[in-house]
Amino acid sequence: MNDDTAPRAVQTLPVYRCDDFRVISGVAEGDALSFAEELVLDDIYGLLPEARRVRLTVTMGPDPRSLSVAAGCETGAAGNPVVLDCCLTFMGEDGATHEALVLVEVEEDAAAGIYMLPLASFAIKSGYRLVGIDRDAAATRFAEVAVVSFTRGTHITMATGEQRPIETLSVGDRVLTRDDGPQEIRWIGASTLRATGSFAPVVISKGTLHNENDLVVSPDHRIFVYQRQDKLGAGRAEVLVKVRHLINGTTVYQKDGGFVEYFQLLFDDHQIIYAEGIAAESLMVDPRTRAALPPEVMARLHSAEPTHAHRPYLDFEVREPLVSAPDAADLLRRASSH
């Protein structure tokens, strides 16, 4: 399953610079967010009115903590190491908890930049009390964001053509895949999370991409579309698109609030399967997602450091600027029509 010649994965993270998130009340009042050793519990933080997210693009190393700034990144210097420092827990004014990850860009053994990757929604003009600092949980939470998931009730196309709700599937069941025909499920993960921020599911409404029912998946889930006409201007017929890039507030929207029950399907290789008739990816094991998988699952895979081999369609992923128009989902629907 390993492919040492495969290009390293690149991830774009929507982060805040540390200067945009400051202590508004407490011991360190006025100070910007920093790494774990410099933080004080019970300090209250707030986003500055002018705060905006920037794109921190990182290249993944052999494990979740070995990151580096990728070339062409909006912020940071290409090649600088990026350390996944800690996971922070804040309590909002309404008593709800909000998590965020702290990433530190390093240059010549000094911090060249500190960034906050929110895992929940943080509002301007609200105060957030720091109630938890966890160095050990950072890699796992970082991995969980990248673990692509389907929600309860999602109909998966089986090898027989039967449409079955994902919660009724079992290890060993054979699912229809786009590239390798019928394939057995090796593991099924299930978790219930607060549906907020990075964990709030995205809804692709019925009919938007020829789907029979709403398709509800995790925000970083990628769908595969074969364009009969290249309406996106991607320069190719086959495209892979993250669903969060298709959000338009109407036919594709993020459902924030309450809880969501997520399911993950793992195969021997990364696969494109069919969910509500839409070609969508299965869980991909890579240096980032490995930290979210149980040790016994990793032990079943056929390598000391198992990672799914690179598949050609992964090179077809469309970057956000090509699908940033509000009618991108409609363009894809028309592009894939007969």
Side-chain angles (χ1 to χ4, degrees), residues 30-327:
D31 287 356
L33 182 72
S34 189
F35 40 84
E37 288 82 355
E38 296 191 351
L39 301 177
V40 180
L41 289 173
D42 288 327
D43 276 356
I44 299 175
Y45 286 76
L47 279 172
L48 298 184
E50 63 271 21
R52 71 174 186 89
R53 292 206 194 190
V54 295
R55 295 181 180 88
L56 175 64
T57 304
V58 296
T59 300
M60 301 294 300
D63 65 72
R65 290 185 182 272
S66 57
L67 314 173
S68 60
V69 180
C73 184
E74 182 179 353
T75 187
N80 277 352
V82 176
V83 177
L84 187 56
D85 184 72
C86 60
C87 178
L88 303 180
T89 304
F90 298 89
M91 182 173 291
E93 295 169 357
D94 59 356
T97 56
H98 303 253
E99 288 187 325
L101 300 178
V102 174
L103 298 100
V104 181
E105 179 189 353
V106 179
E107 187 171 15
E108 296 182 354
D109 297 323
I114 301 174
Y115 309 97
M116 180 179 80
L117 175 63
L119 303 183
S121 300
F122 287 77
I124 292 174
K125 298 184 179 179
S126 292
Y128 300 92
R129 184 182 300 274
L130 180 61
V131 296
I133 305 170
D134 193 331
R135 300 284 311 261
D136 295 332
T140 299
R141 296 300 274 165
F142 187 57
E144 288 172 347
V145 175
V147 170
V148 297
S149 306
F150 301 94
T151 55
R152 173 176 285 274
T154 300
H155 290 89
I156 303 297
T157 302
M158 310 303 292
T160 60
E162 178 189 4
Q163 305 292 307
R164 285 180 55 188
I166 193 167
E167 66 272 16
T168 68
L169 301 183
S170 301
V171 171
D173 285 346
R174 291 163 65 81
V175 171
L176 180 65
T177 71
R178 177 185 178 273
D179 297 288
D180 297 319
Q183 291 293 310
E184 289 188 3
I185 301 171
R186 296 303 185 191
W187 177 74
I188 301 175
S191 57
T192 300
L193 302 171
R194 287 187 61 218
T196 182
S198 297
F199 296 108
V202 172
V203 180
I204 301 177
S205 302
K206 175 180 177 179
T208 300
L209 292 174
H210 310 293
N211 41 315
E212 289 293 327
N213 304 295
D214 290 354
L215 175 63
V216 188
V217 293
S218 53
D220 275 356
H221 215 125
R222 293 176 293 191
I223 60 173
F224 180 92
V225 178
Y226 180 84
Q227 300 185 100
R228 297 177 185 278
Q229 303 174 61
D230 183 16
K231 291 188 176 293
L232 283 186
R236 57 182 175 270
E238 299 172 311
V239 293
L240 201 64
V241 183
K242 284 186 178 178
V243 295
R244 65 179 170 88
H245 292 160
L246 296 177
I247 293 173
N248 55 26
T250 53
T251 60
V252 184
Y253 60 93
Q254 197 157 18
K255 191 175 181 180
D256 199 308
F259 291 84
V260 59
E261 193 171 1
Y262 277 136
F263 294 84
Q264 303 86 36
L265 297 181
L266 179 68
F267 299 88
D268 283 335
D269 295 293
H270 184 247
Q271 298 289 353
I272 300 296
I273 63 175
Y274 299 91
E276 302 298 355
I278 292 178
E281 68 174 330
S282 66
L283 172 60
M284 181 166 69
V285 181
D286 63 15
R288 180 173 176 183
T289 60
R290 280 202 301 259
L293 296 177
E296 63 271 18
V297 173
M298 301 305 297
R300 289 185 210 141
L301 301 180
H302 311 306
S303 170
E305 291 188 0
T307 297
H308 278 152
H310 185 75
R311 305 298 296 262
Y313 56 73
L314 292 172
D315 297 328
F316 303 155
E317 183 172 350
V318 173
R319 301 303 176 188
E320 187 174 1
L322 270 187
V323 285
S324 59
D327 63 343

